Amino acid sequence: MEKNANTFLTKNGKMLDLLAMAERVAASDCPILIYGETGTGKERLTRFLHARSSVAKGPFVVLSVGALPDSILSAELFGHAAGAFSGADVDRTGLLRSAADGTLFLDGVEDASPAFQGALLQFLQNGAIRPVGGEESVRVKIRIISSTSLPPSALRTRIRDDFFFRICVCPVEVLALQG
């Protein structure tokens, strides 16, 4: 019986090769794109990578990309200051700051809207966020791991080139489960 969700039990040679490669990649801070069919364990592999990374003691924050409507995108990602808009009664940290010194997992990045891509690209380029309605920028260091059910060549046709190249520094394919 498996006791730790960040480990794999397998004797499959291809899976052992994938895990050995994942061990090497985990030590790097580069953005990783995990791709493979739905249900192949992309989030599980992401947790495996996080647990073996330099930010393993930091938070692991999951963002289902398609779940964020553009109307609240900035406030969810960057947080907001109290009074920034109607209903913003208190300061809110935002997902990027919540993942500080840890990993932000962008699940289903193929569903990223142009607004999401632009907002996140700005952060990826300068490493700083400014909450909606806030006056000061805050530097945030996080590890970005993205997942998609599309191969990189197909993903590239669905998202901006500059965003693609920021999130796909190290592509990792999760193989389909065989019967």
Side-chain angles (χ1 to χ4, degrees):
M1 182 64 117
E2 189 174 332
K3 295 181 180 180
N4 184 337
N6 297 323
T7 61
F8 286 83
L9 297 176
T10 184
K11 292 182 181 179
N12 179 286
K14 290 180 181 180
M15 187 62 163
L16 291 171
D17 290 344
L18 171 66
L19 294 174
M21 190 268 302
E23 289 275 357
R24 291 188 303 274
V25 176
S28 159
D29 288 336
C30 71
I32 298 171
L33 176 69
I34 299 175
Y35 65 99
E37 293 178 18
T38 301
T40 54
K42 293 182 291 288
E43 182 172 347
R44 180 112 183 249
L45 182 60
T46 301
R47 290 181 184 279
F48 179 87
L49 289 163
H50 172 74
R52 285 152 181 79
S53 72
S54 63
V55 295
K57 293 186 183 194
F60 181 84
V61 176
V62 178
L63 171 60
S64 179
V65 174
L68 274 183
D70 286 344
S71 60
I72 62 167
L73 174 72
S74 291
E76 286 294 314
L77 280 177
F78 302 107
H80 61 74
F85 50 84
S86 181
D89 299 332
V90 296
D91 288 348
R92 181 166 177 176
T93 303
L95 295 173
L96 291 171
R97 277 181 81 181
S98 294
D101 299 320
T103 299
L104 177 64
F105 175 45
L106 302 173
D107 189 23
V109 76
E110 68 270 18
D111 296 326
S113 72
F116 177 89
Q117 293 173 51
L120 193 57
L121 183 61
Q122 185 68 28
F123 167 73
L124 293 171
Q125 289 173 339
N126 64 32
I129 60 168
R130 189 172 85 201
V132 175
E135 296 181 12
E136 305 214 4
S137 292
V138 177
R139 296 205 58 76
V140 179
K141 184 178 186 316
I142 61 175
R143 171 94 181 263
I144 300 285
I145 302 177
S146 305
S147 76
T148 180
S149 58
L150 302 173
S153 59
L155 177 63
R156 189 167 176 199
T157 66
R158 301 251 321 243
I159 62 176
R160 295 170 47 156
D161 277 344
D162 49 359
F163 183 64
F164 175 81
F165 288 116
R166 289 283 181 172
I167 64 169
C168 188
V169 175
C170 181
V172 175
E173 182 179 13
V174 178
L175 302 173
L177 301 173
Q178 302 287 319

